[in-house]
Amino acid sequence: MKTMKWLIKREMWEHKGMLVWAPAVIAALVAVMALVAASFDKNISINGDGSPSQILSVTLEGKVRTQVVETMAQAYMASSAPVLLVLGVLVFFYCLGALHDERRDRSLLFWKSLPVSDSMTVMSKVLLAAVVAPLITLGIGFVLSLLVLLIGAFLLLTHGTNVFGELFLTPDLYLTPLRMLGLLPLYVMWALPTVGWLLMVSSMARSKVFLWAVGTPLVTALLLLWAEKAMHIGIDSAWFVSNIVCRLLLSVVPGAWLLFDDARVLTEGVPHRLPVPQIFGESWATLGNANVWIGVAAGAAMIAVAIWMRRRREEG
């Protein structure tokens, strides 16, 4: 356990700019834009669905006031969406270079001279990509969301509606980040196919890692599409794209399970209410899909191949 801790620290030192500063800069830009909008007294959307809101120009009372407070408490983490989307990009490119870069700069020879097994080294990269990086991004996103929420509440205050007391007494204000944290195991399972695929390609390719990782599934999909159109051999290329290509390349995007599972909750919510709690429940319900477990098994198999390749190869 102590060795794994130091291996993860080593990865953090080497990729601190990518994994910490990149989402922090994105969060800072979003916060600055919110402050600029507030300074010009613009309407800031607190509906969570991006639609403009006119509530900042009137005093809110009664059911409307309660609904606004509930919406703010449930959906305030939506302002961290740009940071969470960046997480998918960061994990993708981290895994892409995780095993190739150490062969390219020949630092692999030094790391292999240490009494650390290849399996433990590769697993430290998996943990960093699937667990540590999401935790860092989620923490930054929570701080950003809280700041934007306070800005929105302050704007309401300037228009005669003080919701600070009700807002801080709403349980959803504290449950929403905990629910998102509770989705981390689900994210790990959904991300494994992409993490395993990218690590495997990173351990195999001598150069042009991006082309190998992205080009191979895309070219295969195009060949299958051509074979289906030209030879009528009954190949379902659409299934291959949605279940193989997308799972290999896009599973590290947070919330990807809602897309792969047709996002029923987004269309079955209560009218005029954000289906935020339902989203978390339906997210865990995707574990009933065999696609998840097949992806976990495939991801574990590809990680095993990456460990085997790292053990065999010492040069780029």
Side-chain angles (χ1 to χ4, degrees), residues 85-106:
L85 288 176
V86 168
L87 170 65
V89 178
L90 298 179
V91 172
F92 185 95
F93 283 99
Y94 166 75
C95 293
L96 201 61
L99 297 176
H100 176 263
D101 290 348
E102 63 180 11
R103 283 188 290 117
R104 184 182 58 185
D105 59 18
R106 302 182 71 82

Side-chain angles (χ1 to χ4, degrees), residues 38 41-42 56-59 151-164:
D41 200 14
K42 299 292 185 184
L56 300 181
S57 59
V58 297
T59 300
I151 292 173
F154 179 76
L155 276 178
L156 285 175
L157 180 62
T158 61
H159 287 268
T161 302
N162 185 356
V163 296
F164 278 101

Side-chain angles (χ1 to χ4, degrees), residues 92-242:
F92 185 95
F93 283 99
Y94 166 75
C95 293
L96 201 61
L99 297 176
H100 176 263
D101 290 348
E102 63 180 11
R103 283 188 290 117
R104 184 182 58 185
D105 59 18
R106 302 182 71 82
S107 63
L108 176 65
L109 299 176
F110 169 74
W111 294 115
K112 280 209 166 193
S113 66
L114 300 178
V116 180
S117 66
D118 294 288
S119 59
M120 187 167 287
T121 302
V122 174
M123 287 309 299
S124 70
K125 297 176 186 296
V126 173
L127 286 175
L128 186 74
V131 179
V132 179
L135 283 176
I136 294 172
T137 305
L138 191 59
I140 294 173
F142 172 68
V143 174
L144 168 66
S145 301
L146 197 58
L147 179 60
V148 174
L149 178 69
L150 293 176
I151 292 173
F154 179 76
L155 276 178
L156 285 175
L157 180 62
T158 61
H159 287 268
T161 302
N162 185 356
V163 296
F164 278 101
E166 296 165 83
L167 194 59
F168 287 120
L169 290 176
T170 304
D172 283 327
L173 179 70
Y174 310 98
L175 290 176
T176 299
L178 293 178
R179 289 190 185 111
M180 295 194 69
L181 184 62
L183 291 178
L184 181 61
L186 190 63
Y187 176 80
V188 173
M189 286 188 280
W190 273 92
L192 270 184
T194 301
V195 171
W197 166 252
L198 295 175
L199 287 176
M200 186 177 73
V201 175
S202 182
S203 68
M204 290 180 171
R206 294 183 181 277
S207 62
K208 310 293 188 296
V209 188
F210 180 82
L211 289 179
W212 281 109
V214 178
T216 302
L218 290 181
V219 170
T220 304
L222 290 175
L223 288 175
L224 290 177
L225 180 62
W226 173 81
E228 181 186 1
K229 298 294 183 184
M231 303 179 186
H232 303 287
I233 55 179
I235 298 176
D236 190 352
S237 57
W239 180 91
F240 182 83
V241 171
S242 62

Side-chain angles (χ1 to χ4, degrees), residues 15-36:
H15 301 90
K16 190 174 181 179
M18 171 191 286
L19 300 175
V20 177
W21 292 116
V25 169
I26 298 294
L29 290 175
V30 174
V32 168
M33 286 190 287
L35 287 171
V36 170

Side-chain angles (χ1 to χ4, degrees), residues 81 84-85 87-89 180 183-184 186-195 242-243 245-266 279 282-284 286-287 289 291-292:
L84 296 178
L85 288 176
L87 170 65
V89 178
M180 295 194 69
L183 291 178
L184 181 61
L186 190 63
Y187 176 80
V188 173
M189 286 188 280
W190 273 92
L192 270 184
T194 301
V195 171
S242 62
N243 290 278
V245 177
C246 291
R247 291 286 276 134
L248 287 178
L249 301 180
L250 301 177
S251 292
V252 291
V253 177
W257 49 84
L258 295 175
L259 301 177
F260 290 120
D261 202 45
D262 298 331
R264 286 181 303 145
V265 66
L266 298 181
I279 288 177
E282 290 292 337
S283 295
W284 279 105
T286 61
L287 292 182
N289 190 343
N291 187 15
V292 182

